Amino acid sequence: EAQVTQNPRYLITVTGKKLTVTCSQNMNHEYMSWYRQDPGLGLRQIYYSMNVEVTDKGDVPEGYKVSRKEKRNFPLILESPSPNQTSLYFCASSLGLAIHNEQFFGPGTRLTVL
Amino acid sequence: AQKITQTQPGMFVQEKEAVTLDCTYDTSDQSYGLFWYKQPSSGEMIFLIYQGSYDEQNATEGRYSLNFQKARKSANLVISASQLGDSAMYFCAMRGWATSGSRLTFGEGTQLTVNP
């Protein structure tokens, strides 16, 4: 089944404790992206990757890191989480950059930083 | 820069009736795509429908249709014959060719409630 998977689905952590949210897709997509969703703000892009070893900042990159060492994986790293990073996080992938390329979303990771 | 505006934080509709969810957008791109996503209470994002800026026909997918008015920069979602399972948050989103990151820019969302 074609899908985007994220782990963990739920995470409660404390300020300053480094964490990684994994994202993997099995569709051989070139483009991958991370979004965060906050009430009243919709989804906002954090980072994106056009291909292996090619990553760039989105709208809200502060406090996050990413890497793309393999085509299928795009982990999101929070080196020192803070309470304002409490949010619902989505990983997404699409075949490429074309406008009509649908972005497939993972199931989401609900993160709480105390 | 591109911006999506959804002015209806919440909408209510009776089962079996049609409902229109509003979406207006702003962009300087000549070529762009408009998407609608559904987010049920379980949280996942479900793609509903796509409209390209150069598509002459309004997009339709089953009970979903997109009322695209380019001059007015609006891309309203019409759901016909509403069902209880349509109760969810609905997001309008845009993807522009010249926009950095080829990202989707989302609106704030509209919470739709279908009443029996």
Side-chain angles (χ1 to χ4, degrees), chain A residues 10-72:
Chain A
Y10 302 90
L11 179 61
I12 301 174
T13 189
V14 295
T15 299
K17 186 176 181 182
K18 180 179 179 179
L19 67 93
T20 298
V21 184
T22 64
C23 172
S24 183
Q25 50 92 6
N26 62 1
M27 296 169 279
N28 202 35
H29 283 171
E30 290 192 350
Y31 183 90
M32 297 186 74
S33 182
W34 277 101
Y35 296 85
R36 61 177 288 174
Q37 181 182 0
D38 301 291
L41 297 177
L43 282 76
R44 294 174 293 166
Q45 191 186 56
I46 303 170
Y47 267 95
Y48 66 96
S49 170
M50 297 190 191
N51 214 324
V52 175
E53 302 291 1
V54 181
T55 64
D56 208 345
K57 298 176 181 178
D59 293 321
V60 288
E62 294 77 21
Y64 305 95
K65 285 175 58 177
V66 293
S67 68
R68 186 96 181 269
K69 293 182 169 45
E70 305 166 284
K71 198 171 186 178
R72 62 183 293 130

Side-chain angles (χ1 to χ4, degrees), chain A residues 65-111:
Chain A
K65 285 175 58 177
V66 293
S67 68
R68 186 96 181 269
K69 293 182 169 45
E70 305 166 284
K71 198 171 186 178
R72 62 183 293 130
N73 296 324
F74 190 45
L76 179 70
I77 303 157
L78 284 73
E79 295 268 2
S80 183
S82 62
N84 64 12
Q85 292 179 298
T86 292
S87 188
L88 178 58
Y89 291 87
F90 287 99
C91 180
S93 74
S94 67
L95 186 63
L97 297 176
I99 294 166
H100 63 272
N101 286 159
E102 177 192 341
Q103 291 202 23
F104 294 82
F105 283 81
T109 294
R110 190 167 292 281
L111 172 66

Side-chain angles (χ1 to χ4, degrees), chain B residues 6-27:
Chain B
Q6 295 179 253
T7 57
Q8 307 155 313
M11 286 284 285
F12 295 86
V13 65
Q14 286 298 122
E15 194 177 8
K16 299 179 185 176
E17 291 185 352
V19 62
T20 298
L21 306 184
D22 293 341
C23 172
T24 58
Y25 60 91
D26 191 23
T27 182

